[in-house]
Amino acid sequence: MEVITIEKKTFDEMNEKFERFVDRVEEICRRCGDKGLGEWLDNQDVCRMLNISPRTLQTLRDNGTLAYSRISQKIYYKPRDVRRILPVVEERRKEAGYRKRTI
C-alpha cells in the first residue's frame, strides 16, 4: 500500500472544492427534475401497453415507427413516443383483422 501525505491546508481546499462540486450537481438535478430512468419504458412495458409481441416491437424499431434508446444491451422507450404510435398500432391491427375476415 502506498501512502501519500499532503498538507492540511491543501486537503481542506480540495475538500471544499469537492463540496461545491457536489452542491452544483445536486442543484442541476433539482432543476432538471426527475428525468431519470423512471420515465422510460422497457420492452416488456411497451409490449404490454400496445398488446403486441416482442417481434412486432422489433419491427416497429426497425422501420423507424418507434424511437428508442439503447443503454448497454437494454432498450428503452419514452412514454410519449409509445402513446404517439398507439393509433398506428390499432389501425394496423384493424387492417389485419379486416383482411382475415375477407379471405
Side-chain angles (χ1 to χ4, degrees):
M1 176 164 80
E2 185 175 348
V3 176
I4 300 174
T5 56
I6 59 174
E7 292 180 11
K8 181 179 182 333
K9 180 183 173 187
T10 304
F11 176 78
D12 290 341
E13 288 174 4
M14 288 174 50
N15 197 32
E16 184 179 320
K17 287 180 181 182
F18 182 73
E19 288 297 324
R20 282 197 309 253
F21 175 75
V22 168
D23 291 342
R24 287 177 61 198
V25 169
E26 287 174 348
E27 175 59 31
I28 290 169
C29 289
R30 277 191 297 275
R31 251 186 311 170
C32 293
D34 181 24
K35 294 187 179 178
L37 202 52
E39 292 185 12
W40 292 74
L41 304 168
D42 65 8
N43 287 334
Q44 185 177 1
D45 295 330
V46 175
C47 286
R48 195 176 307 121
M49 282 178 70
L50 298 177
N51 194 25
I52 59 175
S53 70
R55 181 62 193 123
T56 301
L57 182 57
Q58 174 72 47
T59 300
L60 293 173
R61 283 195 313 267
D62 290 347
N63 66 20
T65 303
L66 181 58
Y68 65 94
S69 294
R70 183 184 305 264
I71 301 174
S72 294
Q73 298 300 316
K74 193 149 171 119
I75 297 174
Y76 296 97
Y77 310 86
K78 291 182 181 178
R80 72 171 183 253
D81 292 335
V82 176
R83 286 190 296 273
R84 180 184 53 79
I85 69 155
L86 187 57
V88 173
V89 172
E90 288 299 321
E91 183 62 33
R92 289 181 183 172
R93 186 174 287 127
K94 287 177 186 175
E95 288 175 3
Y98 177 74
R99 278 186 249 140
K100 287 179 183 176
R101 280 187 241 120
T102 60
I103 293 177

